[in-house]
Amino acid sequence: MDLSFDSRKIIYLDNAATTFPKPKEVLERMTDVYGRFGVNPGRSGYDLCMVAGELVYETRKALAAFFGGTKPERLVFAANATDALNLAIQGLLEPGDHAITTTVEHNSVIRPLNHLKRDRRVAVDVVPFARDGLVDPDDIARRFRPSTKLVVVNHGSNVIGTIQPVAEIGRRCRERGIRLVVDAAQTAGVIPIDVAAMCIDVLAFTGHKSLLGPTGTGGLYVSEGVEVRHTRFGGTGVHSAHPYHLDEYPYRLEAGTANVLGIAGLFFAQQYLAARGIGEIYRHEMELFARLQTALGTIEGLTLHGTTSLAHRLPVLSFTVAGRDPADVGSLLDVDYNVASRTGLQCAPLIHEQMGTAPRGTVRLSVGPMNAESDVDAAITAVQEIAAEAVV
Ligand SMILES: Cc1ncc(COP(=O)(O)O)c(C=O)c1O
């Protein structure tokens, strides 16, 4: 392994995969705290353990409030958004139930639902986006049946950046007593989320994208009155004599030792986000993104997919170059220009099928909080040159 590689030469435009680099102060503070208090939280009464437990609790509290939740104990930590979505989807559906989702989803929604469909007799309807990559809430409501228990929707697309009208979908679900799970992997940390105002029953988030925490973090906020069945069991550090896993939150959905280092990262990242302001971060990203999208839109032979609207949008775009395999464009960007992109289906095959970009997919560029105008300009020049070669 060569750890001497100089990552500073990389023009990193793969922030939809994970934001990079993370704020230096977050990394420094999390390792400092882990070095001093990195013991097993909530297991014993000695001081170190109490401090570690307090750190975990304060992070729950901060994140619950960040998402408009009033109950810190209903903020459940998980390993990432995939883990969190599995907990929610498997814990809310039973054989014979009907669930509705969309073509915009990531495999972390599609696959758990497909497994329940194949193995547990759950019926699943998949709603296509209507136009501009946006799902029409009425298209979802039209599929409601007496057996519909759950709607699972993506908040922000990791392929084309569209932000779905979650509140309107939530209102329709609430009217019918149907649970709404929202995959906020791409939006948490950059788009304001209020679970109460948006009628979200269960919010799934990841910690390592716009929340600016480390990989290996994520979780759920489970709104009051919503009961997610536990689907895994084990130690919680309390009531050890009890033969079954505990029902109360957060224990209900957490088993085993918490990721203290990662949770410390989320805690200090919350402070970073509060100081810089998520509105300011979004404004910064979208300004760079608009520059990128506008310039790419003028390149001969290049197609921008899904939408070019800047409204209801994250700084994520997908493109193809006529006559070029997206994987080759990604390799050229990497090898010849040091531009980090993501190519292929980006773990979201159904949106590509609907856009007509399957099976080869697209090249995705995604702007993050640490990007500068020079990154975007370098990427524009690189894509211009690659596309010009393809035309010749
Ligand atoms: C929309 C969406 N959902 C879910 C996930 C899964 O997130 P994680 O890799 O943190 O499990 C991603 C990650 O790319 C995503 O973009």
Side-chain angles (χ1 to χ4, degrees):
M1 178 169 50
D2 181 10
L3 294 179
S4 65
F5 179 80
D6 184 2
S7 62
R8 285 169 304 184
K9 70 178 184 199
I10 297 299
I11 294 148
Y12 187 78
L13 289 170
D14 195 18
N15 290 279
T18 194
T19 48
F20 179 83
K22 298 297 191 272
K24 206 162 162 272
E25 56 267 48
V26 171
L27 300 178
E28 282 169 4
R29 295 180 78 185
M30 69 186 256
T31 48
D32 168 52
V33 160
Y34 191 65
R36 291 189 293 130
F37 306 106
V39 298
N40 205 323
R43 298 314 198 240
S44 304
Y46 52 86
D47 285 353
L48 276 183
C49 198
M50 299 303 277
V51 176
E54 209 176 312
L55 173 71
V56 172
Y57 178 74
E58 288 301 322
T59 313
R60 266 189 225 291
K61 203 163 108 184
L63 282 171
F66 186 74
F67 296 130
T70 51
K71 300 271 179 204
E73 66 275 15
R74 282 182 167 259
L75 189 294
V76 169
F77 289 114
N80 45 45
T82 306
D83 191 34
L85 284 161
N86 269 278
L87 282 174
I89 292 170
Q90 297 187 52
L92 284 166
L93 287 169
E94 297 192 40
D97 287 347
H98 172 237
I100 302 172
T101 192
T102 80
T103 54
V104 184
E105 307 309 310
H106 189 273
N107 269 339
S108 54
V109 167
I110 298 168
R111 286 179 175 167
L113 285 173
N114 280 345
H115 276 268
L116 291 177
K117 183 175 172 182
R118 191 188 68 182
D119 306 331
R120 306 281 320 273
R121 287 192 303 104
V122 168
V124 180
D125 260 335
V126 182
V127 178
F129 64 77
R131 54 176 176 81
D132 249 2
L134 290 171
V135 175
D136 180 346
D138 289 328
D139 284 345
I140 292 182
R142 269 191 283 278
R143 285 167 171 87
F144 288 166
R145 311 176 188 168
S147 60
T148 308
K149 290 284 157 44
L150 184 65
V151 169
V152 190
V153 289
N154 171 283
H155 192 197
S157 167
N158 64 311
V159 178
I160 56 172
T162 40
I163 299 176
Q164 301 300 333
V166 163
E168 281 98 280
I169 296 169
R171 272 196 289 282
R172 283 161 181 78
C173 291
R174 219 29 71 103
E175 279 162 20
R176 293 285 296 265
I178 295 166
R179 295 293 183 217
L180 174 66
V181 170
V182 171
D183 172 4
Q186 290 293 334
T187 49
V190 69
I191 302 294
I193 295 175
D194 184 323
V195 287
M198 294 162 86
C199 301
I200 297 172
D201 290 305
V202 182
L203 180 81
F205 62 93
T206 200
H208 64 95
K209 300 187 199 264
S210 291
L211 279 176
L212 303 181
T215 52
T217 59
L220 294 174
Y221 186 81
V222 183
S223 293
E224 261 181 279
V226 179
E227 301 307 339
V228 178
R229 252 186 358 267
H230 29 36
T231 45
R232 59 188 178 197
F233 318 101
T236 50
V238 292
H239 304 305
S240 294
H242 203 275
Y244 298 105
H245 201 84
L246 305 184
D247 273 338
E248 61 256 45
Y249 293 94
Y251 305 114
R252 177 191 281 238
L253 299 176
E254 290 181 0
T257 302
N259 175 3
V260 178
L261 177 64
I263 290 169
L266 285 175
F267 181 79
F268 293 117
Q270 277 290 295
Q271 295 188 340
Y272 176 91
L273 291 175
R276 193 165 157 191
I278 69 168
E280 165 55 27
I281 292 175
Y282 181 67
R283 195 199 53 71
H284 168 78
E285 292 179 353
M286 288 306 286
E287 202 176 292
L288 297 181
F289 179 74
R291 184 179 177 92
L292 175 68
Q293 181 174 264
T294 305
L296 296 194
T298 64
I299 297 176
E300 199 190 332
L302 185 147
T303 306
L304 290 165
H305 293 279
T307 181
T308 51
S309 169
L310 292 175
H312 315 292
R313 189 78 187 273
L314 292 169
V316 178
L317 61 76
S318 257
F319 71 91
T320 48
V321 175
R324 284 271 194 201
D325 189 311
D328 294 339
V329 175
S331 296
L332 290 169
L333 282 171
D334 173 25
V335 175
D336 292 351
Y337 299 94
N338 285 328
V339 173
S341 67
R342 169 88 191 267
T343 62
L345 299 178
Q346 296 100 10
C347 295
L350 303 184
I351 188 170
H352 283 285
E353 273 170 32
Q354 193 179 347
M355 293 195 305
T357 46
R360 305 304 304 165
T362 54
V363 183
R364 179 185 76 186
L365 295 174
S366 46
V367 175
M370 303 306 171
N371 283 124
E373 203 170 277
S374 55
D375 297 328
V376 162
D377 288 349
I380 293 169
T381 305
V383 178
Q384 278 167 341
E385 291 183 9
I386 293 168
E389 267 175 43
V391 170
V392 170

